[in-house]
Amino acid sequence: MVSYVLRTGEKGSSAPNTREQIMRAVEELGYKTDFAARALRTGKSRIIGVVLPRINQGYLHSLVMELEEAFRNYGYSLFYSYFHSGDERHKSFGDAMDRMSAMNVEAIITPGLQDNMPDMSIPVIIWGNDRKGYDCVYPDKTAFGFDVIKRLYENGHRRILVAGIIEDSRYAAMKEAMCRYGILEQAHFFDGVASAKNAVVVMREIAGMELRPTAVVFHSDEMAVSGIFEAYRLGIKVPQEISVIGYDNLPIGTWVAPMLTTYDQRFDVMAKELARVTVCRLKNPDVPRLSVGIEMNYIERKSFIAITH
Amino acid sequence: MVSYVLRTGEKGSSAPNTREQIMRAVEELGYKTDFAARALRTGKSRIIGVVLPRINQGYLHSLVMELEEAFRNYGYSLFYSYFHSGDERHKSFGDAMDRMSAMNVEAIITPGLQDNMPDMSIPVIIWGNDRKGYDCVYPDKTAFGFDVIKRLYENGHRRILVAGIIEDSRYAAMKEAMCRYGILEQAHFFDGVASAKNAVVVMREIAGMELRPTAVVFHSDEMAVSGIFEAYRLGIKVPQEISVIGYDNLPIGTWVAPMLTTYDQRFDVMAKELARVTVCRLKNPDVPRLSVGIEMNYIERKSFIAITH
DNA sequence: TTGTATGCGTTATCAT
DNA sequence: ATGATAACGCATACAA
């Protein structure tokens, strides 16, 4: 009777009197449903696994907090497992996934960076990019690529430098956009990991150019901030001589001078969508693949200005 | 027999042949012990709860990753719960703790910021400061306070400004140290939350002073970086005119120019100690209170220089 | 060295 | 509307 009342509440066919008695006892005794017993009986843990790279980048923390909130609304808890992204990346990733199975998680959320994903008997939802064969939630980098070039062009910029991991899908879109505007020839692409150090390298290269670009689009706010600092050191004025655009919308973007113009991945929306997609997949395993692209937010600040010819 | 062999391995008194057969079957069937069933039977979840403030600060992520690794070495998993640090702080914190009990966590790790901690039937280990009545692991802020003033004094600094949350224990130590060196009279203390914005305020105040301090000690790297930027804007040269010292050793400290001299809380050590203390308390509930202060690391970089009189 | 039986707390089914 | 009972998978005490 207790179990029945607790589950059905007012809706079940139980006597009001019985209900009250039960609820009072629950209150008095501080009864809480035992998680392990329920999981054992139902075969469902109500836990979702989140597999993340073990990198010291604060933006992951933002995502985690949003995920916690989004999944809590569906009554799910999250369980994390970090993998090393160094040499033994593949093995470490496999281990992380294994730890998940041992915990009876009902689904796994992971960035889709791995080349060969281990087979899983539970749903795997990819976060960050669109990967064939998996449910995915990701920032719409193609739209971003077009948008940023469009903004630059419409504000008079013609010589644009782009620095980041060029294989990333955003850069194909940028090239395409530049091509349409007829400014691809004058563009520079700096290929390298998105580190503060590389931003310094980029800025120094720019300083040595005969015909400098009027704008730089960096792969991350980390690069952008580092780049702005190096520009200071080199005596290049931002944004008067060169506009800088970042990507991530980290807090530091508001600490620098000039404050950083950037794009926001909207982790809040992304987390909500991840939760929605995950729950949908769990409820209905046969639904066709879900793929959700999220439009990024342009954050207008001071490191980007229009130029006049 | 299976259960016995799995638990005792080579050490139990089981026939080698039986062992092999069992291990082979485990391999073939991909058997994994069911987490929920074990937790139900033993009454132990092998999960530790971690309660954290819901703030968008990257250093928490560093701590989380170190904790994951440290506890994994003891066979524990971590379960997180975030509380809002706004108006309804107290209620939100209580909720977070409740969620932990429902998960059957064996102990809880939390920053000891709450005024009144809810009573818990499980061990609570405080992270970040030394709190009476609880096992604690924290950076030794007193040693830090003395160390930073000593370094400044020995490098010729006499007029020092300190900006942060003055009730924090580090500042008592600083005052004590300044008193010993006879420079307390010339010191300034700026009391306020450790925000980038406040660092700007501080720098502007400094700019307006007749007799400017020769060094600023900020409460956090966030403040320090923001302060360095504002110094740029105000035309104050760092470190020639003013030395800047941070606290946290965030990655951004290496992106700025000059690179930030700071102190590192050593999250790796802290996490290891937290795991050690937690496991110790669980194994032996009657051991006297454990209190572990961790010495911070001085990170020498370029934002701090000696001055000559 | 191995086999058997019990119960952890829950939910679901069936009987009343 | 309520009561009785089985079963989830495991660890363990005890018997053999």
Side-chain angles (χ1 to χ4, degrees):
Chain A
M1 203 57 216
V2 170
S3 188
Y4 179 71
V5 166
L6 254 39
R7 200 163 47 81
T8 59
E10 307 252 325
K11 285 161 196 160
S13 48
S14 52
N17 180 36
T18 315
R19 274 208 296 277
E20 281 164 33
Q21 276 183 279
I22 289 173
M23 294 321 252
R24 206 180 319 131
V26 163
E27 192 66 27
E28 277 176 29
L29 302 169
Y31 168 86
K32 294 257 171 59
T33 314
D34 183 275
F35 164 79
R38 167 183 284 164
L40 178 60
R41 172 63 228 237
T42 61
K44 314 240 169 240
S45 62
R46 305 286 300 173
I47 294 183
I48 306 293
V50 180
V51 174
L52 295 173
R54 195 182 185 291
I55 48 175
N56 199 347
Q57 296 191 181
Y59 75 87
L60 280 180
H61 186 242
S62 319
L63 178 67
V64 162
M65 285 188 309
E66 299 293 350
L67 283 175
E68 284 281 336
E69 189 149 317
F71 276 92
R72 179 127 51 85
N73 291 336
Y74 290 100
Y76 281 95
S77 298
L78 299 180
F79 182 74
Y80 303 87
S81 192
Y82 292 87
F83 67 92
H84 292 264
S85 44
D87 294 342
E88 37 175 42
R89 180 197 188 95
H90 182 61
K91 187 187 167 314
S92 179
F93 183 78
D95 288 350
M97 297 291 264
D98 280 351
R99 259 172 273 138
M100 288 302 176
S101 332
M103 273 303 250
N104 277 332
V105 299
E106 295 184 37
I108 291 182
I109 294 174
T110 174
L113 305 168
Q114 291 309 110
D115 296 335
N116 38 359
M117 298 277 265
D119 278 348
M120 287 282 141
S121 54
I122 52 173
V124 173
I125 288 92
I126 301 290
W127 151 68
N129 41 33
D130 191 17
R131 193 184 163 118
K132 238 168 152 179
Y134 291 90
D135 296 323
C136 297
V137 178
Y138 50 90
D140 190 339
K141 292 184 188 171
T142 302
F144 159 72
F146 279 102
D147 189 73
V148 69
I149 298 304
K150 180 163 178 272
R151 278 182 201 278
L152 285 166
Y153 185 85
E154 289 179 351
N155 282 281
H157 292 270
R158 297 295 179 266
R159 294 190 308 282
I160 300 169
L161 187 145
V162 174
I165 304 157
I166 299 298
E167 63 170 345
D168 190 277
S169 59
R170 70 185 88 168
Y171 299 111
M174 288 190 201
K175 280 183 184 161
E176 171 76 26
M178 286 171 173
C179 193
R180 285 194 204 165
Y181 291 118
I183 57 174
L184 184 56
E185 302 266 312
Q186 310 163 57
H188 289 88
F189 287 84
F190 178 95
D191 190 14
V193 294
S195 66
K197 205 170 264 180
N198 265 342
V200 171
V201 173
V202 167
M203 270 301 167
R204 291 193 185 155
E205 281 195 16
I206 289 174
M209 286 177 172
E210 284 184 28
L211 197 59
R212 290 183 186 167
T214 61
V216 195
V217 181
F218 281 111
H219 195 89
S220 66
D221 281 6
E222 172 176 344
M223 287 190 89
V225 168
S226 172
I228 288 180
F229 259 110
E230 187 60 19
Y232 260 117
R233 270 171 281 193
L234 297 166
I236 303 174
K237 288 202 180 93
V238 178
Q240 294 83 347
E241 296 177 50
I242 194 161
S243 284
V244 173
I245 296 182
Y247 182 101
D248 274 343
N249 193 22
L250 299 187
I252 43 167
T254 63
W255 312 347
V256 291
M259 292 208 285
L260 184 63
T261 297
T262 186
Y263 281 79
D264 190 313
Q265 298 195 38
R266 296 206 286 172
F267 281 142
D268 52 343
V269 178
M270 197 125 75
K272 280 197 191 86
E273 286 301 305
L274 274 166
R276 201 176 57 75
V277 166
T278 306
V279 170
C280 172
R281 169 65 55 205
L282 286 171
K283 272 198 185 152
N284 187 347
D286 300 323
V287 88
R289 183 176 93 97
L290 301 157
S291 171
V292 181
I294 309 223
E295 201 181 336
M296 297 186 67
N297 265 356
Y298 175 65
I299 309 291
E300 184 171 350
R301 289 203 282 249
K302 301 294 181 189
S303 68
F304 165 49
I305 52 167
I307 57 173
T308 47
H309 297 278
Chain B
M1 201 59 216
V2 170
S3 190
Y4 179 72
V5 167
L6 253 39
R7 200 163 48 81
T8 59
E10 308 251 325
K11 284 160 196 161
S13 46
S14 53
N17 180 35
T18 315
R19 274 208 298 277
E20 281 164 30
Q21 277 184 281
I22 290 173
M23 294 322 248
R24 205 179 319 131
V26 163
E27 192 66 27
E28 277 176 28
L29 302 169
Y31 169 87
K32 293 258 173 59
T33 38
D34 183 276
F35 166 78
R38 167 184 283 164
L40 179 60
R41 172 62 229 246
T42 60
K44 316 243 170 235
S45 62
R46 305 288 297 175
I47 294 182
I48 307 293
V50 181
V51 175
L52 294 174
R54 195 183 186 293
I55 50 175
N56 199 346
Q57 295 192 181
Y59 75 88
L60 281 180
H61 185 244
S62 319
L63 178 68
V64 162
M65 285 188 309
E66 299 293 349
L67 283 175
E68 284 281 337
E69 189 149 318
F71 276 92
R72 179 129 48 88
N73 291 336
Y74 291 99
Y76 281 95
S77 298
L78 299 179
F79 182 74
Y80 302 87
S81 192
Y82 293 86
F83 66 93
H84 292 263
S85 44
D87 293 342
E88 37 173 42
R89 181 196 188 95
H90 181 61
K91 186 184 168 313
S92 179
F93 184 78
D95 288 349
M97 297 292 263
D98 280 352
R99 260 172 273 138
M100 287 302 174
S101 331
M103 271 305 248
N104 278 331
V105 299
E106 296 185 37
I108 292 182
I109 293 174
T110 174
L113 305 167
Q114 291 310 109
D115 296 335
N116 38 359
M117 297 277 267
D119 279 347
M120 287 281 139
S121 55
I122 53 173
V124 173
I125 287 92
I126 302 289
W127 152 68
N129 42 33
D130 191 16
R131 194 183 162 121
K132 238 168 151 179
Y134 291 90
D135 297 322
C136 297
V137 178
Y138 51 91
D140 189 338
K141 292 185 189 170
T142 302
F144 158 72
F146 278 103
D147 189 73
V148 69
I149 298 303
K150 181 164 176 271
R151 279 182 200 278
L152 285 166
Y153 185 84
E154 289 178 351
N155 282 281
H157 292 272
R158 296 296 178 267
R159 294 190 308 281
I160 300 169
L161 187 145
V162 174
I165 304 155
I166 299 297
E167 63 171 344
D168 190 276
S169 60
R170 69 185 89 166
Y171 299 110
M174 287 189 201
K175 280 182 184 163
E176 172 75 25
M178 286 171 173
C179 193
R180 285 193 205 165
Y181 291 117
I183 57 173
L184 184 55
E185 301 267 313
Q186 309 162 56
H188 289 89
F189 288 84
F190 177 96
D191 190 14
V193 294
S195 66
K197 206 171 263 180
N198 265 341
V200 171
V201 173
V202 167
M203 271 299 168
R204 291 194 184 155
E205 281 196 15
I206 288 173
M209 286 177 173
E210 285 185 27
L211 198 58
R212 289 183 187 168
T214 61
V216 196
V217 181
F218 280 111
H219 195 88
S220 65
D221 280 6
E222 172 175 344
M223 287 190 87
V225 168
S226 172
I228 288 179
F229 260 110
E230 186 61 18
Y232 260 117
R233 268 170 281 191
L234 297 165
I236 303 175
K237 288 202 179 92
V238 179
Q240 295 84 346
E241 296 177 51
I242 195 162
S243 285
V244 173
I245 296 181
Y247 182 101
D248 275 343
N249 193 22
L250 299 187
I252 44 167
T254 64
W255 311 349
V256 291
M259 291 207 287
L260 185 63
T261 296
T262 187
Y263 281 78
D264 189 313
Q265 298 195 37
R266 297 205 285 173
F267 281 141
D268 52 344
V269 178
M270 197 124 78
K272 280 197 191 86
E273 286 301 304
L274 275 166
R276 201 177 57 75
V277 165
T278 306
V279 171
C280 172
R281 169 64 55 206
L282 286 172
K283 272 198 184 152
N284 187 348
D286 300 324
V287 90
R289 184 177 92 97
L290 300 158
S291 171
V292 181
I294 308 220
E295 201 182 337
M296 297 186 67
N297 265 356
Y298 175 66
I299 308 291
E300 185 171 349
R301 288 202 284 250
K302 302 294 182 189
S303 68
F304 165 49
I305 54 168
I307 58 173
T308 49
H309 297 281

